[in-house]
């Protein structure tokens, strides 16, 4: 077990949040109606704000240029009737495969217990059948009872509570336009971000604030909608990209169970490229010290953390199959014998293109390749994706793994080394 310490969690039950919002709406003169479905065209209003969620009928019926991308992994959302002390991420290895929980308290006596897995494990457990057999207004009780046993250690013998709980796949919604005519979308109706970054409700509330400010500032609806989207889209798209990387990491989580837990925590914290090692040193020096010790094969405590963590990581020696490297950075222009270069432009390392890279790597290893060197564009998104591809090949094909990247992104390269995504790095591109 390894723990990171951040600010205390602040949570509220969704029912309580809705009650608060409804009370304020009524005080402002809003007439609330429940139990009736309305289309945007049915409403007599100057402006229609549609916040009807990821399955938005308004979006489906309108001209918003929407795309919906469905994830590979499966998850179900349930709860339990006690408050965990902290947020917990824990794998459960079962006969069919690995399940992992994201669990956290949200009130004095309740916790959310989200569980996810890959499709192969889901089918082996028979949950494809239980999902099909579960009515849309019911919970998959067979899955809940099975998972109670799998996560008995975290649950302490307590039950999992369903609320129309069934296995589903996350859907990432993007829209070319957030408004059409007099109708404007808000929250999940306009955009979604994977639950692993915990920002869905936050994004919706920030949308609402920006929309109100735009309506106050502009003379007509069209101008207000344009202003609202111009203000919100950059931050939404940034979070969506962080969420995309986080989603891919979690969907491939079982491939990392061999990683020492301290380094696995660093891999988790740096999975989306949003938390550098220096920030971890400031907030969780004990965790980072143990991870660096694992990485370097030595004992290290917080008092021994170097001032230049990235430099320290890059300077550690490596011995691989009898070959000793004095540091983790190859000299410019150098090469390692029998380590072919991989230059594939892969956007999803765990998709079909990534599968093809792994298949070629396995064949090359059978043919005597000692490892692989991954190279490509010098921009940061490309480097982060390249390190993910390298990590997958390292786990599934093996060998010495080298990742090329510009010296200006040495912090990202160092984080990749500590996280087990690569063995060596090489500075390349304009910044070399």
């Amino acid at each position: 077990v390894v723990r990171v310490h951040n600010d205390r969690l602040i949570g509220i039950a969704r029912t309580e949040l809705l009650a608060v919002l409804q009370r304020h709406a009524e005080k402002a003169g809003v007439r609330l109606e429940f139990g009736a479905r309305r289309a945007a065209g049915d409403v007599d209003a100057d402006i229609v704000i549609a916040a009807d969620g990821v399955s938005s009928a308004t979006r489906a019926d309108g001209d918003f240029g929407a795309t919906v991308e469905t994830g590979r992994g499966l998850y179900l959302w349930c709860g339990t009737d006690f408050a965990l002390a902290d947020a917990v991420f824990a794998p459960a290895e079962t006969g069919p495969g690995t399940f992992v929980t994201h669990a956290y308290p949200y009130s004095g006596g309740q916790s959310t217990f989200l569980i996810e897995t890959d499709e192969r494990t889901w089918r082996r457990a028979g949950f494809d059948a239980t999902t099909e057999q579960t009515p849309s207004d019911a919970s998959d009780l067979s899955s809940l009872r099975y998972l109670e046993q799998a996560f008995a250690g975290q649950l302490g013998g307590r039950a999992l509570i369903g609320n129309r709980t069934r296995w589903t796949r996350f859907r990432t919604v993007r829209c070319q336009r957030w408004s059409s005519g007099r109708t404007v979308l808000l929250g999940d109706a306009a955009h979604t971000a994977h639950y692993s970054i915990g920002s869905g409700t936050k994004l919706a509330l920030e949308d609402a604030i920006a929309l109100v400010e735009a309506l106050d500032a502009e003379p007509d609806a069209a101008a207000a909608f344009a202003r609202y989207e111009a203000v919100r889209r950059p931050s939404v798209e940034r979070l969506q990209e962080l969420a995309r990387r986080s989603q891919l990491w979690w969907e491939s989580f079982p491939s990392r169970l061999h990683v020492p837990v301290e380094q696995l925590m660093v891999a988790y914290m740096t999975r989306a490229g949003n938390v550098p090692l220096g920030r971890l040193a400031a907030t969780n020096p004990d965790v980072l010290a143990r991870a660096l010790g694992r990485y370097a094969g030595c004992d290290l405590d917080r008092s021994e953390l170097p001032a230049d963590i990235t430099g320290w990581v890059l300077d550690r020696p490596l011995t691989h199959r009898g070959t000793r490297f004095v540091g983790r950075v190859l000299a410019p222009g150098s090469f390692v014998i029998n380590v072919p270069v991989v230059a594939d432009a892969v956007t999803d390392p765990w998709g079909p293109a990534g599968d093809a890279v792994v298949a070629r790597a396995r064949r090359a290893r059978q043919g005597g390749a000692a490892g692989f060197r991954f190279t490509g564009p010098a921009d940061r998104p490309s480097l982060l994706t390249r390190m993910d591809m390298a990590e997958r090949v390292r786990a599934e094909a093996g060998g010495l793994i080298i990742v090329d990247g510009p010296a200006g992104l040495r912090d990202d390269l160092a984080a990749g080394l500590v996280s087990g995504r690569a063995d060596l790095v090489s500075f390349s591109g304009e910044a070399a």
Side-chain angles (χ1 to χ4, degrees):
V1 174
V2 64
R3 295 174 179 268
V4 293
H5 303 280
N6 289 304
D7 294 334
R8 294 296 300 172
L9 290 170
I10 300 173
I12 183 172
R14 188 172 298 275
T15 50
E16 185 178 350
L17 174 62
L18 290 172
V20 170
L21 293 173
Q22 289 165 11
R23 286 199 302 272
H24 282 279
E26 288 176 323
K27 287 180 181 178
V30 175
R31 187 180 76 250
L32 303 178
E33 293 184 5
F34 300 93
R37 290 185 177 274
R38 300 287 181 85
D42 299 336
V43 180
D44 181 14
D46 297 319
I47 294 171
V48 177
I49 301 170
D52 49 348
V54 62
S55 300
S56 171
T58 309
R59 183 185 67 237
D61 292 340
D63 180 22
F64 299 97
T67 60
V68 180
E69 182 180 348
T70 303
R72 285 186 292 270
L74 291 112
Y75 72 97
L76 54 73
W77 206 294
C78 49
T80 190
D81 61 356
F82 75 102
L84 291 158
D86 297 290
V88 174
F89 301 100
E93 296 183 73
T94 69
T98 302
F99 297 88
V100 63
T101 182
H102 309 227
Y104 52 88
Y106 67 84
S107 73
Q110 295 169 304
S111 300
T112 291
F113 219 87
L114 186 154
I115 299 167
E116 63 179 301
T117 192
D118 60 277
E119 182 169 355
R120 186 179 182 184
T121 300
W122 176 72
R123 291 187 181 278
R124 282 179 169 179
F127 294 154
D128 53 340
T130 64
T131 299
E132 186 175 343
Q133 294 162 7
T134 302
S136 59
D137 59 349
S139 292
D140 183 346
L141 298 180
S142 296
S143 290
L144 293 179
R145 300 294 84 83
Y146 180 94
L147 295 167
E148 284 169 0
Q149 300 303 312
F151 290 99
Q154 289 74 34
L155 289 166
R158 295 176 175 86
L160 289 174
I161 302 168
N163 178 16
R164 290 187 294 180
T165 297
R166 57 193 292 121
W167 293 100
T168 189
R169 301 177 198 265
F170 188 82
R171 290 171 287 166
T172 300
V173 173
R174 294 182 176 88
C175 291
Q176 295 176 9
R177 298 167 294 281
W178 293 355
S179 62
S180 178
R182 62 176 186 159
T183 302
V184 61
L185 304 178
L186 180 154
D188 281 356
H191 47 71
T192 61
H194 193 253
Y195 51 77
S196 59
I197 66 166
S199 295
T201 302
K202 170 180 176 287
L203 287 172
L205 292 172
E206 290 175 344
D207 281 356
I209 293 167
L211 180 56
V212 168
E213 291 175 346
L215 289 167
D216 284 341
E218 297 294 340
D220 57 62
F225 294 166
R227 182 185 184 120
Y228 155 66
E229 187 170 338
V231 168
R232 289 294 299 144
R233 186 177 283 277
S235 57
V236 166
E237 290 183 346
R238 174 183 172 275
L239 273 174
Q240 283 190 308
E241 176 57 17
L242 291 175
R244 184 187 71 85
R245 293 190 179 279
S246 181
Q247 178 178 349
L248 292 176
W249 193 88
W250 279 112
E251 288 180 344
S252 58
F253 178 81
S255 66
R256 300 179 182 87
L257 292 179
H258 66 285
V259 178
V261 67
E262 298 87 354
Q263 288 176 267
L264 184 59
M265 179 60 84
V266 173
Y268 160 67
M269 295 296 288
T270 62
R271 68 195 186 282
N274 199 38
V275 179
L277 295 179
R279 180 172 163 190
L280 266 179
T283 58
N284 290 274
D286 292 323
V287 172
L288 183 59
R290 293 198 300 274
L292 293 179
R294 285 278 198 173
Y295 161 73
C298 64
D299 291 327
L300 201 69
D301 64 43
R302 62 185 297 171
S303 66
E304 299 172 299
L305 279 176
D308 178 9
I309 292 171
T310 291
W312 187 92
V313 169
L314 297 177
D315 287 343
R316 292 312 92 195
L318 172 70
T319 299
H320 186 273
R321 293 188 177 275
T323 300
R324 180 174 172 80
F325 300 88
V326 296
R328 299 301 177 104
V329 182
L330 291 180
S334 65
F335 66 95
V336 181
I337 296 173
N338 206 13
V339 174
V341 172
V342 179
D344 299 64
V346 175
T347 57
D348 177 0
W350 292 275
D355 294 343
V357 172
V358 171
R360 290 206 312 274
R362 284 174 170 159
R363 291 194 297 270
R365 289 282 286 156
Q366 291 170 359
F372 305 93
R373 184 170 183 166
F374 291 81
T375 188
D379 60 283
R380 188 166 187 255
S382 295
L383 172 63
L384 294 175
T385 300
R386 188 154 65 246
M387 285 197 295
D388 287 342
M389 188 71 255
E391 177 192 28
R392 184 180 174 194
V393 169
R394 188 173 189 257
E396 298 184 28
L400 182 72
I401 300 299
I402 306 165
V403 175
D404 289 356
L409 297 177
R410 62 200 300 271
D411 290 347
D412 292 314
L413 290 165
L417 289 169
V418 177
S419 301
R421 298 183 177 109
D423 299 299
L424 297 170
V425 300
S426 174
F427 294 151
S428 60
E430 296 178 359

